[in-house]
Amino acid sequence: MALLPVADALERLLEDAAPLQAESVTLMDAADRILADPLTALRTQPPFNASAMDGYAVRAEDVASAPATLAVIGMAPAGRGFAGTVGPAQAVRIFTGAPLPAGADTIVIQENVRDLGGGSIEVTASTVEGRNIRCLGLDFSKGDVLLEKGRLLDPAALSLAASANHPQVSVVKRPLVAIIATGDELLPPGSDLGPDQIISSNAYGVAAAARSAGASALDLGIAPDRKEAIAALVKKAVNAGADVIVTLGGASVGDHDLVHDVLTGEGMTLDFWKIAMRPGKPLMFGRLGDIRCIGLPGNPVASLVCTQLFLKPLLARLGGRAYRQDMRQARLGAAMAANDIRQDYVRAVVKEDAGTLKATPFGIQDSSMLRMLADANGLIVREPFAPPAATGAACSVLMLR
């Protein structure tokens, strides 16, 4: 099977990927979710003419000039309006959010009032009609579309939904990613390692990346290099309702790379296998019914680079989110050799230098070296057959953070 260009692989992986079905969740569980349907107001806000300040509800004609002496006939705290009517030379003590009493048409703020005692006040500054009043429907009216389909439910959007009297909202289902690590050599962190064993690290980075793209992650653990063991975890993923199955390792061409055989045996239709990229050549993609299956390389850096390039955009699409890689232009901080037939993603440190981004590649790019990836904040993207590039040459950088 010929190596597939990165752009073609991504296009095929995202082909017909659409937001998952909607589900209803409470507002407290809706943070950072994607709205599945337009949200309309179930009420008008404010539902009445309301005081915007603490002070006194009065008739504007009584306070058109100052000083003016008024009789206080009652009080209107928030949540309990004044039942009477404000007449000539009268006032009602009012607090922010309380309904404007009948007869009143303006609010005098308390800083402009002097208490004369005996139920009388003196207004010390003139106030015009309508001052300090929030009119009925100032924010929105019942039936208004407040939030469009596809909106990220950030703090402001959630507060607006609550204000519109929605206890629940319809959101796009979070994609569920089932993660299966494979390999006899792997043990979980904290294990006592034998002489031929290593720590299984890839699942933690992949799960974190999945969650950052709005998905849920289900770690199914490590399958030894036996077809029946891998198949058992694949069945668990299917039974858990996974939208995406991600396998780690076991998707290359060695005698113990069994993932392809197991998945096809379970009914997966292979779409592509092997990408013209470095690191990440042995990436595999197929479909098991409605489940998308991605076989990531076993090398940790290759696994995480492929996660950035392929898994995160897919999960964003399934979750109804907009997603775009953070590509920037920079200058090379060190010379680079000519490239071969594969597209390179070179770990680099990107810094601003005299108003220009400078990307300095690490000297060693072995795909097992996680520390270098953790230290990098960008990947220099080198196109296939790119000629040698001198220090200071223009380059494209995929920012990681």
Side-chain angles (χ1 to χ4, degrees):
M1 185 178 291
L3 297 182
L4 188 65
V6 172
D8 291 350
L10 181 60
E11 181 179 357
R12 285 165 62 168
L13 186 139
L14 295 179
E15 185 180 3
D16 74 18
L20 300 173
Q21 69 268 29
E23 61 181 358
S24 182
V25 299
T26 66
L27 288 186
M28 280 298 179
D29 293 326
D32 295 323
R33 302 294 295 273
I34 300 298
L35 200 59
D37 300 295
L39 184 138
T40 59
L42 300 179
R43 60 185 292 272
T44 296
Q45 174 63 18
F48 41 73
N49 293 328
S51 177
M53 303 288 287
D54 291 346
Y56 291 84
V58 300
R59 302 189 321 157
E61 61 188 279
D62 291 332
V63 294
S65 60
T69 301
L70 305 177
V72 179
I73 62 171
M75 181 179 295
R80 192 168 67 253
F82 178 72
T85 300
V86 177
Q90 292 181 337
V92 169
R93 181 74 166 108
I94 196 166
F95 296 88
T96 303
L100 184 70
D105 56 16
T106 194
I107 304 296
V108 175
I109 61 174
Q110 60 188 19
E111 292 85 350
N112 292 339
V113 172
R114 186 165 66 91
D115 188 356
L116 300 177
S120 295
I121 59 171
E122 181 183 72
V123 178
T124 60
S126 61
T127 305
V128 299
E129 182 178 347
R131 182 64 60 88
N132 303 316
I133 294 173
R134 295 171 180 151
C135 295
L136 168 72
L138 175 66
D139 197 357
F140 53 81
S141 297
K142 183 177 180 179
D144 286 352
V145 176
L146 302 180
L147 298 170
E148 297 291 347
K149 176 182 177 179
R151 169 66 187 262
L152 174 70
L153 291 171
D154 56 19
L158 287 171
S159 293
L160 177 59
S163 181
N165 206 25
H166 286 273
Q168 296 180 313
V169 286
S170 177
V171 297
V172 179
K173 176 181 175 289
R174 288 188 189 275
L176 176 61
V177 183
I179 302 171
I180 302 171
T182 66
D184 288 335
E185 75 279 16
L186 300 179
L187 287 177
S191 300
D192 293 326
L193 298 177
D196 303 316
Q197 293 176 307
I198 60 173
I199 293 295
S200 177
S201 60
N202 296 6
Y204 302 94
V206 172
R211 294 186 182 108
S212 75
S216 299
L218 173 63
D219 181 12
L220 292 177
I222 303 167
D225 287 322
R226 296 194 305 275
K227 287 186 177 181
E228 62 273 18
I230 299 171
L233 293 188
V234 170
K235 288 182 173 68
K236 279 190 176 182
V238 173
N239 292 336
D243 301 292
V244 180
I245 296 175
V246 173
T247 59
L248 306 173
S252 188
V253 292
D255 292 339
H256 296 285
D257 295 329
L258 308 173
V259 168
H260 170 264
D261 290 346
V262 169
L263 286 172
T264 52
E266 294 295 321
M268 182 191 78
T269 301
L270 180 67
D271 192 309
F272 60 78
W273 189 6
K274 300 186 181 67
I275 310 299
M277 62 180 289
R278 182 188 300 108
K281 175 184 173 183
L283 180 76
M284 180 182 68
F285 175 65
R287 299 167 190 263
L288 180 57
D290 293 330
I291 302 173
R292 289 165 168 80
C293 302
I294 298 179
L296 294 177
N299 277 321
V301 175
S303 178
L304 292 178
V305 169
C306 288
T307 294
Q308 177 72 32
L309 294 176
F310 298 103
L311 180 60
K312 290 177 71 173
L314 173 63
L315 296 179
R317 184 75 63 88
L318 294 176
R321 297 171 184 266
Y323 187 84
R324 186 174 64 179
Q325 302 285 7
D326 185 5
M327 297 295 302
R328 305 187 194 181
Q329 293 301 303
R331 296 287 176 180
L332 286 176
M336 300 189 73
N339 198 15
D340 60 13
I341 64 171
R342 289 193 275 172
Q343 187 157 301
D344 271 4
Y345 293 87
V346 180
R347 283 156 281 173
V349 173
V350 185
K351 295 181 178 179
E352 187 170 336
D353 182 26
T356 301
L357 288 181
K358 182 173 72 174
T360 304
F362 289 97
I364 303 175
Q365 292 288 325
D366 189 281
S367 60
S368 68
M369 298 173 67
L370 270 175
R371 180 177 178 180
M372 187 188 303
L373 182 61
D375 289 342
N377 63 337
L379 300 172
I380 298 171
V381 182
R382 297 273 286 160
E383 297 296 330
F385 305 110
T391 301
C395 66
S396 296
V397 178
L398 170 56
M399 299 300 296
L400 299 177
R401 61 178 187 275

